[in-house]
Amino acid sequence: QQPVQSPQAVILREGEDAVINCSSSKALYSVHWYRQKHGEAPVFLMILLKGGEQKGHEKISASFNEKKQQSSLYLTASQLSYSGTYFCGTEIGGTSYGKLTFGQGTILTVHP
Amino acid sequence: ETGVTQTPRHLVMGMTNKKSLKCEQHLGHNAMYWYKQSAKKPLELMFVYNFKEQTENNSVPSRFSPECPNSSHLFLHLHTLQPEDSALYLCASSQDLTGVGTDTQYFGPGTRLTVL
């Protein structure tokens, strides 16, 4: 069953912040975040392993709440280059390592 | 990022044609994947190979036939496709499938397939 992302779309002005959520009904081993620009390949942003850790990548960070089976991606002081579709991919582990189930995506648009 | 390449980038084929998609990774990875990305749908995992062995077939119709001759190359053979198979087909690779983050996947640019 695919994870649910919210919101489906968000529009920002440069410098504003955004949060994208990814929720699963299954116990997760990890959550992978990707960004895809139109006509391009998805680009890996970061992976969160179970344990509730938080990771950061420049002004983009993420957290994983194991209790809620939810991950959140935080984009601070957004830049025009942040525009694109953000996907979370969830992994339940065990014999299913590598088998990612992706959410429907969140379209982020950053305006000047 | 040129770690994962795919050819052709665009393909138009009739329902009776046979064609193949090619993926090559230059990252020294051991696991490779095929995904289908249709408009307004999430990425769908199709096949997973680890050290040339298929570990996952996500209920994919037999008109799609994967082949992995070595850890660097992955093919998707297509025959008697349907118009609803038109989509972007993405290849990805990861170090392996042992978990602990080593299954982080790196994607190629995709092949845009149109079935007439």
Side-chain angles (χ1 to χ4, degrees):
Chain A
Q1 193 170 0
Q2 71 179 78
V4 176
Q5 288 185 233
S6 62
Q8 291 189 8
V10 59
I11 299 173
L12 301 173
R13 290 205 177 274
E14 263 186 304
E16 291 182 337
D17 303 339
V19 180
I20 300 171
N21 297 307
C22 173
S23 297
S24 174
S25 58
K26 293 189 172 183
L28 300 177
Y29 174 75
S30 69
V31 180
H32 303 225
W33 284 99
Y34 288 84
R35 176 173 61 213
Q36 185 178 29
K37 294 182 181 286
H38 185 69
E40 298 181 12
V43 174
F44 172 73
L45 294 176
M46 63 190 75
I47 179 174
L48 287 302
L49 300 178
K50 71 175 182 179
E53 65 176 290
Q54 184 153 351
K55 297 188 79 171
H57 177 71
E58 295 180 347
K59 293 179 182 174
I60 300 175
S61 62
S63 63
F64 179 21
N65 186 321
E66 196 177 338
K67 211 171 180 181
K68 292 184 178 179
Q69 298 305 323
Q70 177 176 299
S71 178
S72 296
L73 186 72
Y74 307 94
L75 301 108
T76 58
S78 60
Q79 306 168 15
L80 294 176
S81 61
Y82 286 5
S83 293
T85 302
Y86 289 77
F87 294 98
C88 66
T90 56
E91 181 182 27
I92 60 174
T95 58
S96 297
Y97 288 124
K99 184 177 177 181
L100 294 182
T101 305
F102 283 89
Q104 80 278 19
T106 295
I107 301 172
L108 178 74
T109 306
V110 182
H111 290 299
Chain B
E1 175 63 61
T2 56
V4 182
T5 58
Q6 290 186 243
T7 54
R9 294 294 309 275
H10 300 272
L11 178 63
V12 179
M13 59 187 289
M15 289 191 285
T16 57
N17 292 157
K18 287 185 181 181
K19 296 286 184 183
S20 296
L21 309 185
K22 180 183 175 182
C23 174
E24 184 172 1
Q25 59 93 2
H26 310 274
L27 300 169
H29 288 166
N30 297 301
M32 296 188 77
Y33 311 74
W34 279 117
Y35 285 89
K36 177 182 179 182
Q37 188 174 36
S38 304
K40 309 216 185 272
K41 282 188 170 182
L43 276 162
E44 297 174 60
L45 179 66
M46 300 175 72
F47 302 103
V48 181
Y49 278 82
N50 192 34
F51 290 94
K52 302 190 297 179
E53 297 297 318
Q54 188 180 118
T55 61
E56 184 74 33
N57 176 338
N58 203 21
S59 303
V60 180
S62 60
R63 57 186 184 269
F64 295 92
S65 175
E67 179 189 2
C68 188
N70 54 62
S71 292
S72 299
H73 295 85
L74 185 65
F75 295 89
L76 188 63
H77 303 300
L78 317 170
H79 64 97
T80 58
L81 294 191
Q82 305 298 311
E84 59 264 30
D85 296 323
S86 298
L88 180 68
Y89 288 84
L90 290 160
C91 172
S93 72
S94 69
Q95 186 176 330
D96 50 44
L97 297 181
T98 54
V100 202
T102 55
D103 53 355
T104 298
Q105 295 175 30
Y106 297 88
F107 285 83
T111 294
R112 174 69 62 187
L113 174 67
T114 303
V115 182
L116 301 176

